[in-house]
Amino acid sequence: MFLDDLKNELQDFNNNDFFLGLTLKEKNYNKNYSPAESSNIFNVETSLEKYKKSILILKELGIANFRFSLSWEAILPEGIGFVDQTKIAFYHEVLDYCISNEIEPFVTLFDFNLPLPIEKKGGWLNREIVDWFENYVLICINAFKTKVNYWIVINQSSVFTKSNFFTNKQTLNEKWLNDFLPFLHHTLLCQSVGYKTIKKISQDTQVGSVFPCHFIKPKSFSDKDLKAAERIDAIVNRVFLEPSLGFGYPIKMAPCLKKISKYFLKGDDELLKVDFDFIGLQNFKPEIVEHDLYIPFINARVINQNKNESDLGSSEFENNSDLFYRIIRKYTNYEEIKKIIFFENNSSLLEEMILLHDNQSIKPIQIITFMQQIIKAKNNGGKVDGYFISLNSHTLD
């Protein structure tokens, strides 16, 4: 059984000085996102018994940290105003069960679940969302502040802002860019306001956000491909992190971002800055990039590396077995980052294999290899402090 093998392997890592946790993912069928994204939001209608089962499995595995998400649309069906106290009570029960089993909850505030009434008002395109989001955060923090020590403000903003459109010339056009820029700016403002709201109420609480982490590699060492890789890195990675660290948007590397200035109000430069206690990383498989004159705005193309499902695992895993180590070294170079926690691994080297194969003999070799890389990086000065194994909930059934 996969879980039995995993439990045995994890025994060698539980004594190390870093967080070991579990993120359980289900399909998020929120009507505002199509196609549905895999998320770590449980449907609020999910029975408490399913949460309890998951928490007990964590305890059995010797994993002391559990990541799950609150739902804005469940707590505030209209986005603002009426608070559904039955949902507040539901989450209290989940948190109480975590605490009674000595499991530390890591709670995400926003994870692809924008209330439909907010969406109809323009959603992230509407500057008022900063106030709406602050109100939602206040409600959650005041409700759960005595039970939650670790908050994640926003999960993977690159997904719902659809920054991957920059690499697709069929979807990339002036209209899309004009929507992306305010979408991005308002999201990062919400992230900052969320952090600062939590700290005002609970100063000792640890607060961070989860950022995309695409490891970008040029197709060749030609000057054109090297610069193309830098532009893609700026668009899919740096643009979400660096404004919060105080560097501003990477306009020099991606000039198409210049127009974002029209969405700035006085004070936004300072408002964007966040002194995160930690940053979370969502790992994706490496992307190979080449120069392409015909891609608008960025003149760079991500090479399609799709494989048959049966090919997942062996060769790809071997080629990228040191991926985590290289990522940790890259992000450790930011002096402003205090510590790094990997919250999900979508590199298709582990979790996707489990999804694609109903095979009880699968061994957790990839998990262990990644964790070995984390320990190696940590021992060499890397700022990494934790790894959350991400599994779909049916894997634990």
Side-chain angles (χ1 to χ4, degrees):
M1 297 288 290
F2 175 79
L3 289 177
D4 292 334
D5 291 336
L6 181 58
K7 179 180 178 180
N8 292 333
E9 295 287 356
L10 290 178
Q11 291 177 359
D12 294 334
F13 294 91
N14 275 334
N15 293 324
N16 287 285
D17 184 24
F18 69 99
F19 291 106
L20 183 59
L22 188 67
T23 295
L24 296 179
K25 302 193 293 183
E26 292 197 351
K27 284 290 184 182
N28 173 18
Y29 294 106
N30 186 302
K31 57 229 172 244
N32 298 328
Y33 296 94
S34 181
E37 301 286 352
S38 183
S39 168
N40 64 319
I41 300 173
F42 282 87
N43 294 325
V44 180
E45 291 76 13
T46 300
S47 70
L48 183 61
E49 292 305 311
K50 186 162 187 177
Y51 275 99
K52 287 182 176 180
K53 178 181 178 181
S54 303
I55 292 164
L56 290 176
I57 289 173
L58 286 175
K59 189 173 183 179
E60 180 184 349
L61 288 171
I63 295 176
N65 304 287
F66 177 48
R67 179 188 172 212
F68 70 95
S69 297
L70 306 180
S71 170
W72 185 355
E73 65 178 350
I75 293 172
L76 288 157
E78 297 301 314
I80 56 175
F82 169 71
V83 178
D84 191 333
Q85 293 298 331
T86 64
K87 302 304 189 293
I88 296 287
F90 177 87
Y91 287 125
H92 270 298
E93 289 191 83
V94 175
L95 291 167
D96 287 341
Y97 200 71
C98 284
I99 293 166
S100 67
N101 283 280
E102 300 181 323
I103 301 295
E104 185 78 62
F106 281 65
V107 181
T108 303
L109 285 161
F110 184 78
D111 199 350
F112 315 156
N113 56 352
L114 197 65
L116 185 58
I118 296 290
E119 185 76 20
K120 289 180 177 178
K121 294 177 182 178
W124 298 100
L125 297 177
N126 187 338
R127 173 89 186 203
E128 288 186 74
I129 198 169
V130 178
D131 295 328
W132 300 331
F133 187 73
E134 181 180 10
N135 173 67
Y136 164 62
V137 173
L138 275 169
I139 290 167
C140 294
I141 302 309
N142 284 324
F144 308 120
K145 62 186 175 184
T146 62
K147 299 177 182 179
V148 179
N149 297 315
Y150 295 89
W151 288 99
I152 297 163
V153 182
I154 290 178
N155 182 45
Q156 298 182 65
S157 51
S158 67
V159 174
F160 58 86
T161 58
K162 295 182 171 56
S163 68
N164 63 309
F165 279 25
F166 271 103
T167 63
N168 187 336
K169 62 184 177 183
Q170 277 72 44
T171 56
L172 188 57
N173 53 53
E174 193 74 29
K175 181 183 182 304
W176 178 84
L177 180 64
N178 289 338
D179 285 345
F180 171 76
L181 296 177
F183 203 134
L184 169 67
H185 188 57
H186 298 157
T187 299
L188 296 192
L189 288 174
C190 284
Q191 180 172 257
S192 176
V193 167
Y195 169 88
K196 291 166 184 174
T197 300
I198 297 169
K199 287 294 188 177
K200 284 179 184 177
I201 297 172
S202 184
Q203 189 172 0
D204 294 332
T205 301
Q206 296 286 292
V207 187
S209 273
V210 177
F211 294 90
C213 182
H214 301 262
F215 196 84
I216 306 300
K217 301 191 294 187
K219 182 182 178 182
S220 74
F221 291 106
S222 71
D223 187 59
K224 285 186 175 182
D225 283 353
L226 288 169
K227 289 181 178 178
E230 290 178 354
R231 291 193 295 275
I232 292 293
D233 183 52
I235 288 296
V236 301
N237 290 321
R238 292 171 54 195
V239 74
F240 297 99
L241 176 63
E242 292 189 355
S244 299
L245 300 181
F247 297 114
Y249 292 101
I251 292 172
K252 183 177 180 180
M253 191 53 63
C256 60
L257 297 174
K258 283 182 180 179
K259 292 182 179 179
I260 204 165
S261 61
K262 68 189 287 187
Y263 303 105
F264 270 66
L265 297 183
K266 185 178 180 180
D268 277 7
D269 284 316
E270 285 299 314
L271 183 57
L272 283 169
K273 296 178 184 178
V274 185
D275 186 24
F276 289 116
D277 297 301
F278 63 89
I279 69 158
L281 293 180
Q282 156 80 17
N283 179 44
F284 294 88
K285 67 182 180 182
E287 302 283 10
I288 299 174
V289 173
E290 67 177 353
H291 176 78
D292 189 333
L293 185 62
Y294 298 102
I295 299 290
F297 308 122
I298 55 171
N299 300 143
R301 182 175 74 90
V302 174
I303 297 172
N304 190 338
Q305 301 178 74
N306 289 341
K307 296 183 177 183
N308 293 328
E309 292 178 359
S310 60
D311 292 335
L312 281 174
S314 58
S315 61
E316 186 177 358
F317 176 70
E318 293 296 328
N319 291 337
N320 300 304
S321 59
D322 66 341
L323 181 63
F324 271 40
Y325 182 82
R326 289 183 286 163
I327 289 171
I328 292 165
R329 298 307 307 167
K330 174 183 177 180
Y331 284 86
T332 293
N333 288 333
Y334 285 101
E335 292 182 6
E336 295 76 9
I337 292 177
K338 298 173 184 175
K339 59 185 175 183
I340 300 164
I341 302 173
F342 278 98
F343 278 105
E344 291 187 46
N345 174 24
N346 278 2
S347 62
S348 81
L349 306 180
L350 170 67
E351 285 80 0
E352 291 184 17
M353 285 183 63
I354 295 171
L355 295 179
L356 294 168
H357 301 278
D358 184 17
N359 184 344
Q360 295 298 321
S361 66
I362 291 176
K363 303 295 182 182
I365 182 172
Q366 286 93 337
I367 277 184
I368 305 309
T369 299
F370 292 144
M371 291 176 67
Q372 288 170 342
Q373 292 176 47
I374 289 173
I375 299 302
K376 176 184 175 182
K378 186 175 179 66
N379 291 340
N380 284 280
K383 296 177 183 177
V384 62
D385 269 28
Y387 177 67
F388 277 60
I389 300 162
S390 53
L391 301 175
N392 272 52
S393 59
H394 72 75
T395 306
L396 305 182
D397 291 337

